[in-house]
Amino acid sequence: MVSNSKLISVIGNVQADLVLRPVAALPPPGEERFVDNVSFRPGGGGGVTGMVLAAAGAPVRLFGTLGNDPIGTVIRSMLAEVGVQTLNIREVALPTSITVALEAAGRERSFLTSRGHMEAFSKHDLADEALTAPITLLTGFFTTPALQPDVPSLANRARRDGSIVLFDPGSDQFGWSDSGREMLFSVLDECDGFLPNEAELLALTDAGNVTDALAGLRRRFDRAVVVKMGPRGCLVSENGSSAPVELLSVPVEAPDTTGAGDSFNAGLALGLSRELDWVGSAQLAAALASEVLKQPAARRYLTPRDVERLYLASRGGPMLPEIEI
């Protein structure tokens, strides 16, 4: 399946993730607590999406940066081990950015991120071929401030050259302002698909529920919207005149959920690269993200055979037999 996929370009934040679980609350000042599980792995919207696509055997180019320190070296090596071509991940003279994710059952995740090398990621770090793939995903918008002013023109250039341009901005850690919202809409004007999660959509539109948020968004953006809603699944609205389609998911037991949305983005881009429609691509994305979540915390990706099984199932074909490979 993946051998017939079109090339996917992923442009965004590549960094390190350190996931601690369970952390229901920070210890009081001066005190220490133990946690059961710690995982260190490639992170960032660009890093996770590129890793999942490459491990699946999809043709993908990942464009980003890493710091020139031991952490950056390790993350680059971990990405290369699963098939990411790291030539387009530039090295910059700054410490590699790290996100510490704190997770526990029954509470929303929280994150602490060092600014590090992502502060300097700009259009000058992008090779010319970054905008020439049939599918282009722009991600990590709020974590790459030097790139932000150029994202609308980058999206425009890619779309003019025939690329399907997808945009997942992430969350504004400084709080959603009117100027920040207008900045996002300037990017959306140049995109084919918007991939927020539920909280981001509500914050962008200042609405109280997804129905009202989608109606508000439609006054400014008439192309495809795929809203990730965590364990409840996702909502797909192909355009302003089509009825939204809600895709429900089956909750899964997972070591942690950090990177789930980025794995979903990988599946969606993969579906579109195989010329599935938006609903079919979202079905594949939800199935892929669920399967990634089941993997051990240090191995958050699938093999090409894993993805082939999901693709056949999403197309109504026979499932491949379970075998050891």
Side-chain angles (χ1 to χ4, degrees), residues 1-8 58-59 270 273-274:
M1 183 269 290
V2 292
S3 62
N4 295 323
S5 303
K6 296 177 181 177
L7 179 64
I8 301 166
L270 185 58
S273 79
R274 287 286 296 166

Side-chain angles (χ1 to χ4, degrees), residues 224-236:
V225 180
V226 181
V227 186
K228 292 163 283 193
M229 299 192 295
R232 303 199 327 273
C234 64
L235 186 72
V236 184

Side-chain angles (χ1 to χ4, degrees), residues 9-14 45-46 61-64 121 126-127 129-132 136-141 144 147 151 154 158 166 168:
S9 179
V10 178
I11 302 172
N13 52 331
V14 183
R61 291 175 180 160
L62 174 58
F63 298 88
F121 180 39
L126 298 176
E129 61 267 25
L131 305 173
T132 61
T136 302
L137 171 66
L138 300 166
T139 187
F141 181 79
T144 54
L147 188 66
V151 174
L154 294 173
L166 310 174
D168 180 353

Side-chain angles (χ1 to χ4, degrees), residues 245-316:
V245 176
E246 186 173 2
L247 302 177
L248 302 178
S249 63
V250 178
V252 299
E253 292 292 329
D256 64 73
T257 59
T258 296
D262 303 316
S263 299
F264 181 98
N265 290 349
L268 187 80
L270 185 58
L272 293 172
S273 79
R274 287 286 296 166
E275 298 186 350
L276 299 181
D277 62 16
W278 289 96
V279 172
S281 296
Q283 289 174 327
L284 177 61
L288 186 149
S290 293
E291 288 300 312
V292 167
L293 284 180
K294 296 177 185 177
Q295 305 306 307
R299 185 190 176 278
R300 305 311 289 274
Y301 52 85
L302 304 177
T303 67
R305 186 173 180 82
D306 295 331
V307 178
E308 176 74 7
R309 291 172 56 81
L310 296 178
Y311 178 77
L312 289 175
S314 72
R315 304 301 292 160

Side-chain angles (χ1 to χ4, degrees), residues 42-115:
V48 174
T49 304
M51 176 177 66
V52 172
L53 285 169
V60 57
R61 291 175 180 160
L62 174 58
F63 298 88
T65 56
L66 282 168
N68 63 343
D69 56 7
I71 293 174
T73 300
V74 171
I75 294 300
R76 185 182 297 273
S77 176
M78 294 174 77
L79 290 170
E81 284 178 4
V82 299
V84 175
Q85 300 297 315
T86 61
L87 179 65
N88 292 308
I89 304 176
R90 303 284 177 86
E91 182 179 285
V92 298
L94 288 169
T96 298
S97 175
I98 303 173
T99 287
V100 179
L102 308 176
E103 296 202 16
R107 66 178 291 271
E108 286 292 328
R109 299 167 297 171
S110 54
F111 306 94
L112 296 170
T113 300
S114 62
R115 297 180 185 276

